[in-house]
Amino acid sequence: MVALAGAHARARRTGRAEELDRAALHGFIGLYGTAHPDVLACRSNLAVTLHDPGRYGESAELREDALRGFTGLLGEDHPDTVAVRGWRRVERDPEPQAS
């Protein structure tokens, strides 16, 4: 679902990308809570999706949350942290794991 959202975002189908990004985010929060790297990646990707059509308020808040989380978990120089800082999608295809 995360990869499919990215494909829609790259094709400028932001409505569908947003739907998929939100579904992935809510699903992963339900599985892992709010601080898991897959949740942070989904939060950041949704921020990028919303930023492109100019929904800056929500996108900035989502990005800042993801940036704080990735910086704390992975450090300043990790590729995921760098992607979030640069307003780029976090390119990963997380799969839910059984608890």
Side-chain angles (χ1 to χ4, degrees), residues 6-7 14 19 25 29 31 33 35-36 40 42-43 47-48 50 53-54 58 61-63 68 70-71 76 78 82 89:
T14 55
E19 290 173 19
L25 176 60
I29 287 172
L31 284 173
H36 190 277
L40 298 173
C42 289
R43 186 172 283 128
V48 172
L50 295 175
E58 184 179 4
E61 184 178 316
L62 288 163
R63 177 186 171 265
R68 246 188 325 274
F70 273 131
T71 301
E76 290 283 334
H78 189 276
V82 172
R89 292 184 71 84

Side-chain angles (χ1 to χ4, degrees), residues 36-86:
H36 190 277
D38 290 342
V39 172
L40 298 173
C42 289
R43 186 172 283 128
S44 176
N45 290 346
L46 177 58
V48 172
T49 296
L50 295 175
H51 190 265
D52 285 345
R55 294 168 61 190
Y56 303 124
E58 184 179 4
S59 66
E61 184 178 316
L62 288 163
R63 177 186 171 265
E64 287 304 314
D65 288 345
L67 185 57
R68 246 188 325 274
F70 273 131
T71 301
L73 286 173
L74 305 174
E76 290 283 334
D77 298 324
H78 189 276
D80 290 346
T81 307
V82 172
V84 173
R85 193 177 307 112

